[in-house]
Amino acid sequence: MDTVVSGIRSTGHLHLGNYFGALRNFVRMQEENNCYFFIADYHSLTTHPDPSILHDNVKNILCEYLASGIDPEKATIYVQSDVPETVELYLLLNMHAYLGELSKTVSFKEKARKQPENVNAGLLTYPTLMAADILIHNADKVPVGKDQEQHLELTRRFARRFNGMYGQEYFKEAAAYNFGEDLIKIPGLDGSGKMGKSEGNCVYLCEDPKLIQKKVMRALTDQGPTEPNSVKPDYIENLFTLMKVVSTPDTLEYFNEKWNTCEIRYGDMKKQLAADIINFTTPIRERYLDICNNEEYLRKVTKMGAEKARESAAKTIKDVRLLMGIRPF
Ligand code: TRP
């Protein structure tokens, strides 16, 4: 059985892109693997979020994980900051992480450009913390999107370096797990290729149906095609891509046909798309609302998750300390 580790930063609510890009696959993976799914609250601190919203952000993602079908009996679901062993491994790995390699990562350069007034050490060592998340459970597979490949490459490099340095094949080299064909990139509603929080083009997983309706109806369209069977512009293709994940094949086929014969009415298509998104998200939203109100359940889940995660993490830290020569008297 493979060990799988993945996390999502707690910076706000999850959107359809997160769901189809990651969550849905986490739910599948928990059946056949030893999974650790966590909420990366330490990673969210690089941008100095207001303390009054930090906890709510963690809670929202936790509830969205659970509402999407991640089962705390099958997978280990935990909050990163509940596992202090991760922080110790982060410190130890940092001794072998070099300024040159850390400052060269795309994510660091991008963040440094976006927040030049706050280029902190946490930002620089973001990849070491991520490596610690992964290596603390000695993962085989890490389900992440393309944007995380460079971080994973660094994780493998740190693992090799550690193994070489301390003379034992201790850490595995974790592989990115991309789900092959299944990885659907969800486009934004603004005609751009990717749904993203910072792009402001999202439909959130647990969003109010009225808002979903409003957002979809406002999505960019045009006058419609004038030539039969013409190629769709990106912003139209995006609507079809969304339809593909939430609507029935018949519905998709119907609007495709209308496009091909130049009879498409975008108002109708968007109404249908909004209805199908609402249909798809409603059970998730209802579970989310229930779970959010059940503090006792959340306490139970996070306690159990922290215990299971710490058990695995403590074993790693014990070994790593000994390998590095940190020994008790
Ligand atoms: N860096 C990841 C992201 O921004 C989140 C993350 C943190 C993560 N630690 C991880 C993902 C460990 C996988 C494994 O999406």
Side-chain angles (χ1 to χ4, degrees):
M1 195 145 87
D2 281 339
T3 296
V4 172
V5 173
S6 198
I8 296 184
R9 257 178 323 142
S10 48
T11 53
H13 285 282
L14 299 181
H15 51 72
L16 291 181
N18 298 127
Y19 181 82
F20 288 103
L23 268 184
R24 189 180 56 160
N25 294 313
F26 291 1
V27 173
R28 290 179 186 162
M29 292 186 94
Q30 70 184 354
E31 302 298 335
E32 286 161 20
N33 300 278
N34 180 22
C35 290
Y36 294 90
F37 298 126
F38 66 95
I39 297 146
D41 56 343
Y42 281 144
H43 275 110
S44 78
L45 293 175
T46 57
T47 53
H48 302 171
D50 195 309
S52 67
I53 62 165
L54 191 87
H55 180 76
D56 281 344
N57 282 344
V58 172
K59 178 178 173 180
N60 287 337
I61 298 207
L62 174 66
C63 295
E64 284 158 358
Y65 266 7
L66 295 165
S68 298
I70 297 185
D71 180 348
E73 300 291 339
K74 293 178 179 160
T76 300
I77 309 178
Y78 67 98
V79 181
Q80 187 185 33
S81 60
D82 279 342
V83 180
E85 289 82 0
T86 302
V87 186
E88 181 169 349
L89 185 58
Y90 163 67
L91 178 138
L92 299 173
L93 290 173
N94 264 336
M95 302 305 165
H96 297 290
Y98 292 94
L99 178 62
E101 58 194 350
L102 293 171
S103 60
K104 247 191 343 234
T105 61
V106 174
S107 61
F108 176 73
K109 288 193 286 193
E110 219 166 80
K111 269 278 170 12
R113 191 172 47 78
K114 270 195 202 151
Q115 51 181 68
E117 73 298 339
N118 181 19
V119 187
N120 59 65
L123 213 50
L124 180 71
T125 56
Y126 185 108
T128 335
L129 182 55
M130 180 159 161
D133 292 327
I134 295 165
L135 297 176
I136 199 77
H137 304 299
N138 219 346
D140 300 284
K141 292 190 249 176
V142 182
V144 283
K146 261 216 145 359
D147 61 324
Q148 297 297 315
E149 248 156 42
Q150 199 179 21
H151 289 151
L152 222 59
E153 186 50 58
L154 267 176
T155 300
R156 286 191 290 268
R157 194 195 289 181
F158 294 154
R160 276 195 300 274
R161 191 173 290 160
F162 183 94
N163 293 347
M165 189 85 193
Y166 299 106
Q168 193 179 319
E169 287 301 300
Y170 185 75
F171 286 124
K172 294 178 196 160
E173 292 192 30
Y177 191 73
N178 288 325
F179 310 103
E181 308 261 299
D182 285 352
L183 195 67
I184 302 168
K185 199 161 97 184
I186 300 299
L189 285 177
D190 57 351
S192 76
K194 194 175 173 212
M195 190 174 279
K197 219 164 309 171
S198 40
E199 286 77 11
N201 58 12
C202 296
V203 175
Y204 291 96
L205 191 56
C206 299
E207 190 152 18
D208 179 68
K210 284 199 200 72
L211 251 172
I212 294 181
Q213 166 100 14
K214 217 157 109 189
K215 284 183 175 177
V216 173
M217 294 314 285
R218 275 203 312 246
L220 184 65
T221 49
D222 54 24
Q223 302 297 311
T226 49
E227 293 282 323
N229 303 314
S230 41
V231 175
K232 300 180 184 100
D234 286 349
Y235 51 92
I236 299 298
E237 188 66 54
N238 287 355
L239 296 180
F240 278 90
T241 303
L242 284 167
M243 222 173 207
K244 197 169 160 185
V245 295
V246 294
S247 305
T248 64
D250 284 354
T251 304
L252 183 68
E253 181 51 37
Y254 174 85
F255 287 102
N256 228 340
E257 188 64 32
K258 292 282 173 202
W259 165 270
N260 283 333
T261 54
C262 306
E263 293 168 312
I264 193 151
R265 287 161 57 173
Y266 291 126
D268 291 351
M269 180 177 181
K270 290 200 267 189
K271 234 185 256 162
Q272 182 71 46
L273 177 60
D276 289 341
I277 292 177
I278 291 165
N279 221 344
F280 179 83
T281 52
T282 289
I284 300 178
R285 185 184 60 257
E286 286 175 353
R287 279 197 297 274
Y288 168 82
L289 293 172
D290 272 353
I291 294 168
C292 269
N293 287 321
N294 195 342
E295 294 282 338
E296 199 185 314
Y297 177 66
L298 293 174
R299 249 195 310 279
K300 204 181 105 197
V301 166
T302 46
K303 184 162 173 275
M304 184 167 93
E307 277 167 10
K308 284 202 277 177
R310 289 196 70 183
E311 197 182 311
S312 145
K315 187 187 163 301
T316 307
I317 277 299
K318 188 165 164 257
D319 295 342
V320 166
R321 279 176 155 245
L322 283 179
L323 281 168
M324 293 181 79
I326 304 173
R327 298 209 169 96
F329 281 94

